[in-house]
Amino acid sequence: MTSDFNPTLDVQTISADGLRVHYKRAGQGPTVVLLHGSGSSLEGFERVAALLSASYDVIRPDLPGFGRTGPRPDRDYRVRTYARTIARFTAALQVPHFVVVGNSLGGNIAWNLALDAPERVDGLVLVNATGYPEKSLPAGLRLARNPLLRPVLRRWLPRSATERGLREAVGPNSAIVDDAMVDRVHALTSRPGNRSAFVDFANTDQPDRSGEIKSITVPTLVLRSAEIDGQHFARDIPGAQERVHPDGGHLLPEEHPDWVAAAIAEFLPAVTEKSRYRKEERR
């Protein structure tokens, strides 16, 4: 089977936190950083980025362990380490402050970043984000935690498993999982070191910081699908706004990019205006 997917097209790289982080950047204006979820890549926000880049400077990195950035030499896949990497990545790009948007794992990283570097985060958008201990695990993570399967998964993952995982991640009415999507996700997952990095990530002990979520002070928008369970960001983050999609799955930015982009675009002007006033007050 052939694919038109080109993993290097328009991708830039920069050194940050001991890694060559791969990313795409487009547009002008206040900066918005888009963070994909586990098993995904910067393509997870492709359409959302295209819509937002008309008015914003949109940056999409491939997170360590995924996409083109690939595995961390130190094999440290704690969420707080991811947040540190994104802080250093944006600093390397000379972006002092930004709005951070995260889907799934990317959302977990985003709210950790808002806790650890609130002076740099102008706003927070959580899209089916994770981080509460009662969150149910997707099938891929459960398999990667199986001690009998771990050695196999480090070396081999059939394309059929990639397709099955994608179909389980989308909503019941979604038709986005086609051959092109499966080929793209499978090709990036199969890049050197990524399968083993995913196993390392799945088996990393993640400290529970959910008790700190109530301390987040940056303006927050919560976007979630009605069927996504176990997350309470809108309840716990003071002043958070929430929007619920009635039939989306876990991959909202790919399933319903127009809905996601419109919600973010409505949220951003007030956030960036407040940020501008805060910076003027500090002078």
Side-chain angles (χ1 to χ4, degrees), residues 13-63:
T13 65
I14 194 168
S15 294
D17 203 23
L19 298 159
R20 291 297 296 178
V21 179
H22 291 61
Y23 68 99
K24 288 190 177 184
R25 187 174 189 175
Q28 292 184 330
T31 301
V32 180
V33 177
L34 306 177
L35 305 179
H36 64 78
S38 64
S40 188
S41 65
L42 58 82
E43 279 78 15
F45 275 104
E46 188 83 38
R47 176 63 179 161
V48 173
L51 293 168
L52 293 178
S53 62
S55 303
Y56 296 93
D57 168 28
V58 181
I59 301 172
R60 293 176 287 151
D62 274 339
L63 294 171

Side-chain angles (χ1 to χ4, degrees), residues 83 100 109-119 121 123-124 215-218:
V100 60
I109 296 165
W111 67 256
N112 273 265
L113 187 57
L115 282 172
D116 293 342
E119 72 285 354
V121 177
L124 178 63
S215 301
I216 292 173
T217 59
V218 302

Side-chain angles (χ1 to χ4, degrees), residues 16-258:
D17 203 23
L19 298 159
R20 291 297 296 178
V21 179
H22 291 61
Y23 68 99
K24 288 190 177 184
R25 187 174 189 175
Q28 292 184 330
T31 301
V32 180
V33 177
L34 306 177
L35 305 179
H36 64 78
S38 64
S40 188
S41 65
L42 58 82
E43 279 78 15
F45 275 104
E46 188 83 38
R47 176 63 179 161
V48 173
L51 293 168
L52 293 178
S53 62
S55 303
Y56 296 93
D57 168 28
V58 181
I59 301 172
R60 293 176 287 151
D62 274 339
L63 294 171
F66 303 103
R68 306 149 189 84
T69 296
R72 293 185 62 96
D74 60 8
R75 300 171 68 180
D76 182 357
Y77 296 105
R78 289 172 297 177
V79 169
R80 203 165 186 176
T81 301
Y82 274 109
R84 182 193 71 198
T85 299
I86 295 303
R88 292 178 177 178
F89 163 71
T90 50
L93 290 175
Q94 299 183 352
V95 176
H97 55 90
F98 48 88
V99 173
V100 60
V101 180
N103 177 216
S104 188
L105 167 65
N108 198 340
I109 296 165
W111 67 256
N112 273 265
L113 187 57
L115 282 172
D116 293 342
E119 72 285 354
R120 299 195 59 203
V121 177
D122 292 338
L124 178 63
V125 182
L126 303 176
V127 188
N128 288 333
T130 62
Y132 287 85
E134 66 267 33
K135 174 68 180 177
S136 60
L137 293 175
L141 285 174
R142 292 198 303 272
L143 287 173
R145 291 184 175 186
N146 184 313
L148 297 177
L149 293 178
R150 283 198 299 257
V152 177
L153 292 176
R154 288 185 188 277
R155 300 189 304 272
W156 178 73
L157 180 72
R159 184 182 181 279
S160 60
T162 300
E163 181 174 1
R164 184 167 58 252
L166 287 170
R167 294 195 183 282
E168 290 174 354
V170 300
N173 300 318
S174 176
I176 66 166
V177 181
D178 57 12
D179 283 344
M181 183 181 189
V182 176
D183 286 347
R184 179 249 300 173
V185 174
H186 191 65
L188 291 172
T189 301
S190 300
R191 287 175 69 86
N194 278 357
R195 285 190 296 267
S196 191
F198 182 77
V199 173
D200 287 339
F201 164 73
N203 289 279
T204 295
D205 182 22
Q206 301 288 354
D208 178 16
R209 301 188 75 191
S210 60
E212 300 177 59
I213 289 172
K214 294 179 181 180
S215 301
I216 292 173
T217 59
V218 302
T220 300
L221 172 66
V222 178
L223 303 179
R224 67 175 181 88
S225 299
E227 297 303 315
I228 298 299
D229 67 329
Q231 306 297 277
H232 312 292
F233 298 102
R235 179 196 71 189
D236 290 346
I237 298 176
Q241 305 172 38
E242 182 179 44
R243 293 194 180 187
V244 180
H245 196 284
D247 63 354
H250 200 62
L251 306 181
L252 265 182
E254 293 186 83
E255 296 176 70
H256 301 284
D258 292 11

